[in-house]
Amino acid sequence: MAILKKEEAKALLQKVLAHSKADECEVSLRGEEGGNIRYARNAISTAGDIDNTTLSVTSYFGKRSGTATINEFNDAALERVVQRAEELARLAPENPEYMPLRGPADFKDSKTYVPATAAITPDTRADAVAKSIQVAKEAQLEAAGFIENTTSFSAILNSKGLFAYDTDTNVVFTITTRNSAGTGSGFAARGYNDISRLDTLSATKIAAAKANSSAGAKAIEPGKYTVILEPVAATYMLENMFRGLDARNADEGRSFMSKPGGGNRIGEQLMDDKVTIYSDPFHPDLPASTWNRDGFPLEKTAWIDKGVVKNLVYSQYWAKNKGVQPVPQPSNIIMEGGNASLEELIKSTEKGILVSRLWYIRLVDAQTLLLTGLTRDGTFYIENGEIKYPIKNLRFNESPVIMLNNVEALGKTERSISIESYRSYLIPPMKIRDFTFTSLSDAI
Amino acid sequence: MKRKDFIQLSAMGLGALVLPNFSAFGTPVDPSRFLNDGMDVKLKKQLADVALNAARSKGATYADVRIGRYLNQFVVTREARVQNIANAESFGVGIRVIANGCWGFAATNVVTKEAIAKAAERAVAVAKANSRVTTTPVQLAPQKGYGEVSWKTPIVQSAFTIPVKDKVDLLLNVNSIAMKGGANFVNSAILAINEQKYFASTDGSYIDQDIHRLFPTFTVTKIDRGSGKFETRKSLSSPVGMGYEYLTPTADNKVGGIVTRYKDRYDMLEDVKNATADVDQKLKAKSVEPGKYDLVLDPSHLWLTIHESVAHPTELDRVLGYEANYAGTSFLTLDKWKSRNFQFGSKLVNVVADKLQPGSLGAVGYDDEGVQCGKWDLIKDGVLVNYQAIRDQAHIIGLDHSQGCCYAQSWSDVQFQRMPNVSLQPGKEKLSVDDMIKNVEKGIYIIGDGSFSIDQQRYNFQFGGQTFYEIKDGKIAGMLKDVAYQANTQEFWNSCTAIADKSDYRLGGAFNDGKGQPGQSNAVSHGSSTTRFNGVNVINTARKI
């Protein structure tokens, strides 16, 4: 099925909802089409073209609910899926945390759909990859990379009259270049809604420069160092913290946002006053969905303001339990930066380490959000404001909360992606003091 | 919500390794549908032939088609309530082709002759578009056609035939034991997966497979309200390639010792009782002094170290650079294999790849490119002797056949090299865990898997665990906390000084091992007996914010 326009989606959902005999009913549609190319050793290894559409019906009888889904769209199938959802709802146990469906709301249109991205073909992807491979070959490096584009739409309609629709395009590109001796490696990552912003040639040039300059790395002693995290490194580190901005976990006492003795840290100065983190689905550089699955409109929301915890996510149930207003899960995250360029951050550093990228970050201790992981694809020693030489990769054990208490300076915020989730963020490069490295790695 | 967002938000720490991912994420359905056999095999064959013929007619020199029906059931609870009962089904067709010497792939959820033919054409178009960029044509190891064959996980009882109510009752009973034992929180879940896969290729194979996996798990949390500190203890279950019989243990399935562990079957009710006591002890435990320790590692812990430091670096695609842009490469380069004397570990270390091991997550009859599965050595007497290869890589290591370890997480994902079960072989001499501990002067006995991280070439790693016991002068001297060990893979495996005998051999496993771009999840088991490593660096992970 093609990507449905707003009115087409609404008409189909109304047709489905007309079959409902339940107390409450919510129907949703989701469709996605797109493709990808994966390449390595300067040649394409796998590639695909995928489409999938599903219709989901959730029926409610009191506090019981049931969900059924189909991917057929004839009249009989539409009636059958509603009946099946109702049968399931009658069989389900009561949900003590049931919350009634929400009524109509005004959802502003998002800016996440770009026709040029939706028009990507296998040839478009192949051309983008060809440019990247050409750069690697000219630099006598081996390229391994990935490009993926998706066009999707989501729509929900419920028996209380709530209707929401969103359509989205996305393209992600990551590139690793390595020298033939295996002594140097560089990386770049890009993610946009708009394909016209993606330049695989320049991104590969950056990765190639990193690969060439990272060869011949020296070992340094692990310990506490001032680090400059490039945005792609900072993003991956902070994403782990963003996932923990949840009031319920905090109130229950099992989160870094839990206050010793009970409650959460809202209102507390938890980080350096240079740290401000918020969400805004209307930000022109990071457009995102303007509603969430629970039917809440999404607006600009402050999470950390000048180091003070301003908000945590409150589900409808937990908000009611605590007597506060719900705070919906955001659709994007933005961290404010300063005015310095990456070069200026380096220039202002007497002794430190430039970190291009981090890898394999995992939680060690949920209490303090202690994470471990490693540097990767370009780690450099800085002395007297200059990059002196590449250094061997290091393992760190550090908490992003502690890290954000040790902010020396922030650079200009830029669009960056997490190398694990591929989600886009706006994150600045950051200069952090006393970042804890615990061991050396021989990995290139 | 995007699929990846759902996966992120719903990752309950269920043991994902690289990606918090579910295998073959599907869409909610009535659980009674799980009892239907799905599409008749004769019709699948007809549809498969449509795909193969359409691909050939457009210029494909090779094609394979996978018609997949993936059933997932997740029953998730916390304390006294059900959080989620998800019954999901994903059905569709994935078609892979070689055209102009290049791979192409397309997938569709519309399972009709017309849509399949169109998808086959799209796959060929993708291959042809990409062939402009590729100079070296794909070289496939020859593979005979098997004709019409089938394979099924040898289960006693499909988890899908057990009413959801019974699963809910079990989990709520588990939770009740934890809460009565003084836990503040408990999360528990039963995850069941059934892959119904039909594979056909232009080689002349028509392979019908029915694969089952199960994972019962819980996490108990206790908070010291005074200090605000909290500790957790996960279940000592393993995800398994079995039916619901995994949850029907007998005395023979229990391994005694400082805490009961389990072999081939699992007692969830007993384990949660022990976990609740453990978590209480953890709160009061002594914080570890950093330094060098001899580590005695239980199979419930060691499986993860094997997974990360042995199984991943022996994947040939990593060695060759195909994963360089994501999970990385491998320090086990071809020159080390060719030398036939690269001492990966001590002479005690023998590691085997096995796609047939009963009860394991990776057991199948045939892989996802139509190769019959088998068993082979990876590390022999400490020396690297082989890798894991699929059809388009076999020639690189001088093989005339694939080793049968190609896998795709669903019909909509392209198949690629994924690890088989990779296991450390038990010691040849009779040796119990007690025998091993009594020879340790300063050590730590670690049970259960915890935090994990390893670099992109699999040299430097760090692992935590569930429970840690100090060993002093050959005796257990109480529980420790804040423990993680760091090592270099080769140094670590060369420090292996003792492996318990086969009576202690048990399987652990990963339900969601992530790899590839787009990321895919694979389920795989790793067996071992309790093993000792001397002089390993231990750090203290306690911090204050």
Side-chain angles (χ1 to χ4, degrees), chain A residues 30 36-38 40-54 56 67-69 71 84 87-88 93 95-97 122-123 125-127 129-130 133 137 142 144-146 148 154 168 170 174-176 178 187 239 243 248 252-256 260-261 265 293 329 357 359-360 362-368 370 372-377 393 395 397 399 401-402 419-423 436 438-444, chain B residues 1-6 8-9 16-20 27-31 33 78-79 81-82 85 87 90-91 102-110 122 125-126 129-135 185-187 221 223 225-231 308 320-329 396 411-416 451-462 482 484 486 488 516-518 537 539 541-545:
Chain A
R30 172 156 179 82
N36 61 69
I37 293 178
R38 194 175 195 212
R41 297 160 59 112
N42 291 343
I44 289 172
S45 54
T46 58
D49 210 36
I50 294 142
D51 66 71
N52 200 357
T53 310
T54 52
S56 182
T67 300
T69 297
N71 51 22
R84 211 165 65 219
E87 285 162 14
L88 281 172
N95 175 9
E97 296 186 5
D123 282 316
R125 291 190 292 267
D127 289 342
V129 167
I133 289 175
K137 283 179 174 173
E142 277 202 352
F146 177 64
E148 180 178 38
S154 306
D168 172 273
N170 197 38
T174 60
I175 171 70
T176 301
R178 295 173 63 80
F187 177 78
E239 187 178 54
R243 287 184 199 147
R248 184 170 186 169
E252 287 179 342
R254 44 180 174 166
S255 151
F256 67 96
R265 295 185 189 263
R293 281 186 66 176
Q329 187 85 32
R357 181 188 178 189
W359 173 243
Y360 217 132
R362 286 293 177 270
L363 181 67
V364 175
D365 183 1
Q367 185 103 43
T368 59
L370 183 74
T372 190
L374 300 111
T375 64
R376 179 176 171 180
D377 296 329
N393 286 308
R395 171 173 296 286
N397 274 259
S399 162
V401 181
I402 294 170
I419 56 95
E420 192 157 285
S421 72
Y422 295 155
R423 290 177 67 127
T436 311
T438 52
S439 58
L440 268 177
S441 160
D442 289 325
I444 305 293
Chain B
M1 184 182 283
K2 290 184 169 64
R3 176 181 185 270
K4 66 186 176 192
D5 294 347
F6 176 90
Q8 273 212 337
L9 296 170
L17 291 185
V18 174
L19 290 167
T27 49
V29 292
D30 178 344
R33 277 181 64 88
R78 60 172 290 179
E79 293 93 46
R81 65 187 178 277
V82 177
I85 300 170
N87 299 289
S90 177
F91 183 50
C102 197
W103 284 119
F105 176 78
T108 179
N109 66 327
V110 184
R122 272 179 26 227
V126 166
N130 295 339
S131 67
R132 295 186 292 108
V133 183
T134 297
T135 48
F185 303 102
V186 54
N187 297 80
T221 304
I223 298 170
R225 293 290 180 198
S227 66
K229 297 275 183 206
F230 64 89
E231 290 288 351
E308 298 287 17
L320 298 172
Y322 287 101
E323 278 286 323
N325 186 48
Y326 184 58
T329 57
I396 294 165
W411 56 268
S412 61
D413 294 281
V414 69
Q415 59 269 57
F416 70 125
S451 175
F452 53 96
S453 172
I454 190 163
D455 71 37
Q456 75 275 14
Q457 288 192 305
R458 306 273 148 174
Y459 285 112
N460 172 307
F461 59 65
Q462 178 176 315
D482 309 323
Q486 294 185 342
N488 167 291
Q517 290 174 300
N537 189 42
I539 64 166
T541 61
R543 297 287 188 281
K544 276 185 184 170
I545 55 171

Side-chain angles (χ1 to χ4, degrees), chain B residues 314-333:
Chain B
T314 51
E315 291 170 323
L316 187 57
D317 60 345
R318 290 185 66 110
V319 173
L320 298 172
Y322 287 101
E323 278 286 323
N325 186 48
Y326 184 58
T329 57
S330 170
F331 77 98
L332 293 176
T333 46

Side-chain angles (χ1 to χ4, degrees), chain B residues 225-342:
Chain B
R225 293 290 180 198
S227 66
K229 297 275 183 206
F230 64 89
E231 290 288 351
T232 63
R233 207 279 243 162
K234 276 198 317 182
S235 60
L236 297 178
S237 58
S238 294
V240 287
M242 293 173 71
Y244 211 69
E245 65 274 9
Y246 180 59
L247 287 162
T248 55
T250 67
D252 294 343
N253 303 121
K254 298 184 182 185
V255 178
I258 195 140
V259 66
T260 306
R261 283 131 309 138
Y262 303 93
K263 185 174 183 167
D264 304 331
R265 296 284 194 277
Y266 176 57
D267 190 333
M268 206 169 184
L269 299 175
E270 177 185 60
D271 191 28
V272 76
K273 189 177 173 190
N274 292 335
T276 310
D278 279 350
V279 85
D280 211 37
Q281 270 196 74
K282 273 177 98 170
L283 278 169
K284 298 167 192 160
K286 187 171 77 172
S287 193
V288 70
E289 280 294 322
K292 299 274 187 194
Y293 289 84
D294 293 350
L295 300 182
V296 176
L297 303 180
D298 188 73
S300 62
H301 169 91
L302 187 56
W303 75 263
L304 184 48
T305 310
I306 294 167
H307 174 89
E308 298 287 17
S309 67
V310 190
H312 272 307
T314 51
E315 291 170 323
L316 187 57
D317 60 345
R318 290 185 66 110
V319 173
L320 298 172
Y322 287 101
E323 278 286 323
N325 186 48
Y326 184 58
T329 57
S330 170
F331 77 98
L332 293 176
T333 46
L334 290 175
D335 57 304
K336 294 185 174 91
W337 163 71
K338 283 174 185 164
S339 75
R340 288 290 187 265
N341 64 6
F342 180 72

Side-chain angles (χ1 to χ4, degrees), chain B residues 27-193:
Chain B
T27 49
V29 292
D30 178 344
S32 67
R33 277 181 64 88
F34 293 164
L35 306 179
N36 301 342
D37 290 333
M39 188 180 275
D40 183 75
V41 72
K42 288 188 184 119
L43 181 52
K44 287 183 189 173
K45 184 171 187 297
Q46 283 176 27
L47 294 172
D49 282 333
V50 167
L52 300 178
N53 291 330
R56 269 189 294 233
S57 72
K58 291 292 172 183
T61 53
Y62 168 85
D64 59 44
V65 52
R66 289 174 296 113
I67 302 171
R69 181 175 181 236
Y70 293 78
L71 308 178
N72 298 338
Q73 184 177 74
F74 303 152
V75 181
V76 184
T77 72
R78 60 172 290 179
E79 293 93 46
R81 65 187 178 277
V82 177
Q83 274 187 291
N84 194 10
I85 300 170
N87 299 289
E89 177 178 5
S90 177
F91 183 50
V93 181
I95 300 158
R96 186 178 67 152
V97 304
I98 297 173
N100 293 358
C102 197
W103 284 119
F105 176 78
T108 179
N109 66 327
V110 184
V111 187
T112 62
K113 287 179 182 176
E114 297 74 19
I116 288 169
K118 205 170 154 190
E121 289 174 23
R122 272 179 26 227
V124 175
V126 166
K128 287 181 175 174
N130 295 339
S131 67
R132 295 186 292 108
V133 183
T134 297
T135 48
T136 311
V138 174
Q139 188 177 333
L140 273 191
Q143 180 57 52
K144 70 167 188 178
Y146 295 108
E148 293 183 46
V149 292
S150 64
W151 189 89
K152 182 177 179 175
T153 305
I155 55 172
V156 178
Q157 182 162 35
S158 164
F160 295 96
T161 64
I162 306 292
V164 172
K165 186 184 180 301
D166 291 12
K167 293 163 187 156
V168 167
D169 288 348
L170 172 62
L171 294 177
L172 293 181
N173 200 356
V174 163
N175 298 357
S176 169
I177 290 168
M179 298 306 282
K180 282 177 186 161
N184 294 91
F185 303 102
V186 54
N187 297 80
S188 60
I190 293 173
L191 317 177
I193 285 181

